[in-house]
Amino acid sequence: MKRSAAPGPRRSRPFRRVLGGAVALGLAVSGGTFASSAAAAPAKPVLKITPGSEIVSAGTTGFLSVDTKNTLRWTRYADGTTTEVGQDSGQHTQDIAHGAASDVVAVGDNPSITASREITLRDMATGSSTLVDLAAGGYTYKGAVGPWVIAVKPLEGAEEAHVLGLMDGKLTDRKITGLPEKTRKFTAVAGTPGSALVRFAGKTHPFESNDYAVVDLAAARVSDNGGLTTDDRATAALSPTYMASVGAPHSGGKRVSVSVAQRGPERRPWSEELYADDAANMVGLVGNWVLHGYADKVYEGYAAYASALYANFIGGPMHKVLDHATSTTPTPEGDLLVMGGTVEQGEGLYRISTEAKGEPVTKLVASTGEPTKLTLLGSSVPAVADLSRGSWRAHWQLSRRNASVYITLRHTASGKERYIDLPTMDRAPGPKSLDVEWDGLLGHGSDTMAAPNGDYTWQLTARPNNGIGPDLDLNGKFTVRRKPAPHDYTDNGSPDVLSRDAAGNLSLQDTYHDSRDTPQLKGTESKTAGWGWNIYDKVTAVGDVAGASAGDVVARDASGVLWLYLGKGDGTFDGRLKVGAGWDPYDAITGGSDLNGDGRSDLLARDRSGVLWLYEGTGNWRTPFAPRKKIGAGWDIYDSITAVGDVAGASAGDVVARDRSGVLWLFLGTGDGNVDSRVKIGAGWGGYRQLVGIGDANRDGRADLFVTTPDGASYLYQGTGNWQAPFAPRELTDIKTPSHATIA
């Protein structure tokens, strides 16, 4: 991040004033004068650096970085010891405001160092420090290289550049010679030991551009000029052999080029266009190679080729050096330190140098401990999805979230799948959570269905949106299970609607609830469940009375014999089993509600004298019902009696009954095989052809009521769990119920 000057208050320090040349320059030295540091021992493998840090400058004994709180820290190569140096106004890089290619670090009296009135030069190798008072000479700070401070003071229509520092123990303040007479927009942009690369505007034309020059700091004169021309936003680099820039050739230019000029009398300029205005904003030099790239963090960017740091052999082909980079700085030895990452070694600070053959090589100097490639850091994926208790929730912790995530849930037995796409990009640092809530549906569109119980596999593919690193592929297994549901014949927890037409054909329509769509309760394509059911005058869903997981059906023939059909769990039924004769006195039979609280579905039957009887379920398919018990008389005033399950929030099943004036009444189950006194639900229920206790259709744990109209429409009344208002307002479903069909 390049910086801009910001005004700030002057801070005075108690240092003695020394006059040098024609201007007053504040100077103080403590702990000795500037001295060349001895060469450091070879760096130990992989130091530590705070995640999110950027590289600012580098010396022989260590490097300067700035963290996400804008704190400047010096880290020693020898042992990794860090020293807090100061505070910056941001993570400013790609300049020489805090020094370059030296153990000497520049800090100011203002968080925005370019607005500082005093500059302190700290030699991190020797411990000495020097204070330079710029205000006395009316200077504006531009940068530092080693013991030299570069500053300018304004003139009429121009700027005058100076080098301030010690020579032979004496303070010097010298004007830089060799610059154009009317130098404007002067800034110091790069440095190498003893030299600084400066940029300035010397002349005006319609497409204003800037020139570059190399300043010999000890001599305070231009040693090389010409060869580079850019706009104000360009970034530049300097080595003992070359100067380089990356930017547009003039203000308003849309094409970015990386350009190199050889220092000395033979310029040998070389340039390559990078084809986009954001193609690069970093540049560095290592040997005969120029490195360039766009500063993208690992969680930023849009394509791998755009985020990578590249090296061009000057005048030759381009090679990728790092998978991404965010900041660079030169070292006194002519290497380049780069903050970035590789898929192989992760995030950190890398040193790029040239090997014996002259090829650039990278070495990890300090690690943040973070991976560059997309990595799984942790997960919580339940091995069992109990969908009777709600949705299945899975959690994955990823190293970053700028990725498109594709999740596939697959039912092992049928091969049915559910695809979940999570393309959201989160361009923010640090680990990110990926949370998925599966609603228990498979397929899509018209192919949607409730997921059957059984074994499943899950597969997660996370594809980095910036292309950095390979896709992350994860997989595992889990099991779906639910408690048995009274109207479920397909072993998927959702109610099924049984319809019998006049010809005796029995069909089954599975349902599913999709809270994201309207209507929410939908039906799948009807399937044939049997033929010849017209021999029965009553067909009733009774829930699980035989101890298996699937719902069962009872049917009474014309002679009064009751038959049991055991559900197989695949939408079909086993051969009929005789329950017994003598059921012809009953004009209403309903089932599926557990009235005695033993966990098994019971059967209710009303005789023609109006007495309601309870047949408790046994769980034994050979004798599915216990002998009858009398609940009470007077039930002949109702034209519809429906066992609805628990709609009031208690432990026992309930019953609703509609009188002949269309008023619906609730009878709360007491849990001992009886029901409480009736509670009025409301009038206006006479327009419904049938009322069916369908079970829990919306997967909220409460039983619901399904009703049909003479025109073939159907509605769902969702159970509330409140006995005073047991049903929510009706909702239209997309399940069609022909007027000639009998619904069970």
Side-chain angles (χ1 to χ4, degrees):
M1 176 180 174
K2 297 166 72 175
R3 68 184 71 239
S4 59
R10 175 179 177 175
R11 296 182 181 178
S12 58
R13 301 256 182 114
F15 285 93
R16 65 188 178 90
R17 306 281 175 184
V18 180
L19 295 179
V23 298
L25 178 69
L27 179 69
V29 178
S30 60
T33 59
F34 284 106
S36 299
S37 303
K44 294 182 179 180
V46 192
L47 305 174
K48 293 181 180 179
I49 188 169
T50 305
S53 296
E54 300 294 348
I55 187 66
V56 178
S57 69
T60 304
T61 65
F63 59 85
L64 183 69
S65 61
V66 57
D67 65 18
T68 55
K69 295 182 179 180
N70 306 328
T71 301
L72 294 161
R73 286 188 172 85
W74 180 265
T75 302
R76 283 168 45 93
Y77 290 129
D79 55 12
T81 300
T82 62
T83 302
E84 188 171 320
V85 175
Q87 198 73 17
D88 207 343
S89 61
Q91 283 190 298
H92 301 298
T93 61
Q94 311 305 126
D95 60 26
I96 62 171
H98 291 290
S102 171
D103 288 326
V104 177
V105 173
V107 292
D109 63 345
N110 190 305
S112 178
I113 191 170
T114 53
S116 294
R117 313 299 293 276
E118 296 175 341
I119 298 296
T120 300
L121 301 176
R122 293 182 60 179
D123 190 324
M124 304 307 295
T126 66
S128 64
S129 63
T130 304
L131 178 67
V132 178
D133 186 350
L134 298 176
Y139 291 120
T140 298
Y141 180 69
K142 292 298 178 180
V145 179
W148 306 108
V149 170
I150 305 165
V152 299
K153 66 178 179 179
L155 302 176
E156 186 176 350
E159 293 173 317
E160 186 176 271
H162 287 242
V163 175
L164 313 173
L166 291 176
M167 290 186 68
D168 300 325
K170 296 181 180 180
L171 173 70
T172 61
D173 171 14
R174 292 159 298 152
K175 174 185 174 182
I176 298 175
T177 61
L179 292 171
E181 189 173 336
K182 292 290 186 179
T183 297
R184 297 175 297 109
K185 298 196 298 184
F186 179 95
T187 184
V189 293
T192 194
S195 299
L197 183 63
V198 300
R199 184 177 68 216
F200 53 89
K203 47 192 175 182
T204 304
H205 48 76
F207 295 102
E208 186 170 284
S209 60
N210 300 295
D211 295 321
Y212 289 78
V214 178
V215 176
D216 182 333
L217 297 172
R221 63 176 177 81
V222 171
S223 60
D224 295 283
N225 57 24
L228 297 178
T229 304
T230 70
D231 64 357
D232 295 342
R233 299 187 303 162
T235 305
L238 182 66
S239 76
T241 311
Y242 298 99
M243 63 183 86
S245 67
V246 61
H250 55 74
S251 297
K254 298 298 183 182
R255 296 294 187 180
V256 170
S257 297
V258 56
S259 303
V260 179
Q262 184 171 310
R263 295 175 61 177
E266 295 186 20
R267 287 282 174 255
R268 296 182 183 176
W270 173 86
S271 180
E272 181 169 303
E273 192 173 284
L274 299 179
Y275 302 110
D277 58 358
D278 62 349
N281 57 8
M282 296 181 298
V283 67
L285 291 161
V286 176
N288 291 321
W289 295 80
V290 57
L291 292 90
H292 54 88
Y294 192 82
D296 269 335
K297 297 184 184 295
V298 71
Y299 52 83
E300 298 174 329
Y302 60 90
Y305 75 87
S307 298
L309 182 71
Y310 294 96
N312 274 86
F313 184 76
I314 296 172
M318 184 168 66
H319 306 279
K320 185 171 78 171
V321 178
L322 296 178
D323 288 305
H324 84 102
T326 54
S327 53
T328 68
T329 195
T331 72
E333 302 83 10
D335 299 337
L336 195 67
L337 291 189
V338 183
M339 199 69 192
T342 65
V343 169
E344 292 78 15
Q345 293 185 279
E347 296 293 287
L349 182 65
Y350 287 80
R351 179 183 290 266
I352 302 176
S353 56
T354 54
E355 60 181 7
K357 296 180 181 180
E359 297 284 333
V361 294
T362 62
K363 180 181 180 181
L364 184 61
V365 175
S367 173
T368 67
E370 301 167 302
T372 296
K373 66 180 179 180
L374 192 58
T375 304
L376 177 68
L377 303 180
S379 65
S380 175
V381 183
V384 175
D386 186 352
L387 297 179
S388 61
R389 296 187 177 183
S391 300
W392 180 71
R393 294 174 174 86
H395 165 83
W396 294 270
Q397 185 90 352
L398 305 184
S399 58
R400 52 186 167 100
R401 184 60 185 87
N402 60 329
S404 297
V405 178
Y406 310 93
I407 297 173
T408 302
L409 308 178
R410 186 176 187 272
H411 181 222
T412 303
S414 68
K416 280 277 192 177
E417 295 178 329
R418 183 72 163 184
Y419 302 102
I420 303 172
D421 295 345
L422 301 172
T424 305
M425 296 173 63
D426 185 355
R427 297 186 177 186
K432 297 296 175 183
S433 294
L434 180 64
D435 296 290
V436 171
E437 182 175 344
W438 179 43
D439 57 8
L441 298 181
L442 293 178
H444 292 273
S446 60
D447 193 38
T448 304
M449 60 176 286
N453 293 324
D455 294 333
Y456 283 75
T457 60
W458 61 264
Q459 182 171 350
L460 183 151
T461 298
R463 182 163 299 145
N465 289 323
N466 58 9
I468 297 176
D471 293 352
L472 175 65
D473 289 309
L474 307 169
N475 59 74
K477 298 178 180 180
F478 67 102
T479 301
V480 170
R481 68 184 181 199
R482 307 170 178 86
K483 62 181 181 181
H487 257 262
D488 177 23
Y489 306 107
T490 51
D491 197 29
N492 61 5
S494 67
D496 303 313
V497 177
L498 287 174
S499 301
R500 182 185 56 161
D501 63 23
N505 298 312
L506 189 68
S507 62
L508 180 146
Q509 190 174 12
D510 195 4
T511 68
Y512 65 92
H513 186 268
D514 189 348
S515 60
R516 299 164 299 179
D517 202 358
T518 303
Q520 295 184 355
L521 185 63
K522 302 179 183 297
T524 62
E525 184 178 354
S526 293
K527 298 180 180 179
T528 299
W531 301 269
W533 286 68
N534 52 351
I535 64 173
Y536 303 114
D537 60 6
K538 294 286 184 185
V539 177
T540 302
V542 291
D544 170 32
V545 297
S549 61
D552 306 317
V553 171
V554 294
R556 185 184 66 187
D557 64 24
S559 63
V561 176
L562 192 69
W563 301 88
L564 172 65
Y565 286 84
L566 297 176
K568 296 166 63 176
D570 61 357
T572 63
F573 300 93
D574 259 332
R576 68 181 189 174
L577 301 168
K578 186 176 181 178
V579 176
W583 288 75
D584 51 311
Y586 301 118
D587 61 359
I589 299 174
T590 183
S593 205
D594 176 18
L595 272 75
N596 63 356
D598 64 356
R600 294 187 288 268
S601 294
D602 304 318
L603 188 66
L604 292 171
R606 181 187 65 185
D607 63 28
R608 288 180 173 82
S609 64
V611 176
L612 188 66
W613 301 90
L614 170 66
Y615 288 86
E616 295 178 338
T618 65
N620 180 358
W621 61 269
R622 293 182 177 86
T623 55
F625 301 111
R628 71 179 187 176
K629 295 180 180 179
K630 183 177 180 179
I631 290 181
W635 287 77
D636 53 340
I637 66 173
Y638 304 109
D639 63 5
S640 176
I641 300 172
T642 305
V644 290
D646 172 27
V647 297
S651 59
D654 307 315
V655 177
V656 295
R658 181 182 65 189
D659 65 27
R660 301 185 192 282
S661 64
V663 177
L664 191 67
W665 302 87
L666 172 65
F667 293 85
L668 295 173
T670 59
D672 58 359
N674 290 299
V675 294
D676 245 332
S677 300
R678 70 180 187 175
V679 177
K680 184 177 180 179
I681 295 175
W685 290 75
Y688 298 125
R689 192 166 64 87
Q690 285 186 270
L691 287 74
V692 180
I694 198 173
D696 182 13
N698 64 345
R699 301 187 305 111
D700 66 351
R702 294 186 289 267
D704 305 314
L705 182 63
F706 180 79
V707 301
T708 68
T709 63
D711 61 0
S714 62
Y715 296 87
L716 181 71
Y717 286 88
Q718 296 181 15
T720 65
N722 178 6
W723 65 270
Q724 294 171 315
F727 299 112
R730 73 179 189 179
E731 295 179 0
L732 181 68
T733 80
D734 80 341
I735 301 169
K736 302 305 179 184
T737 56
S739 59
H740 62 270
T742 302
I743 308 300

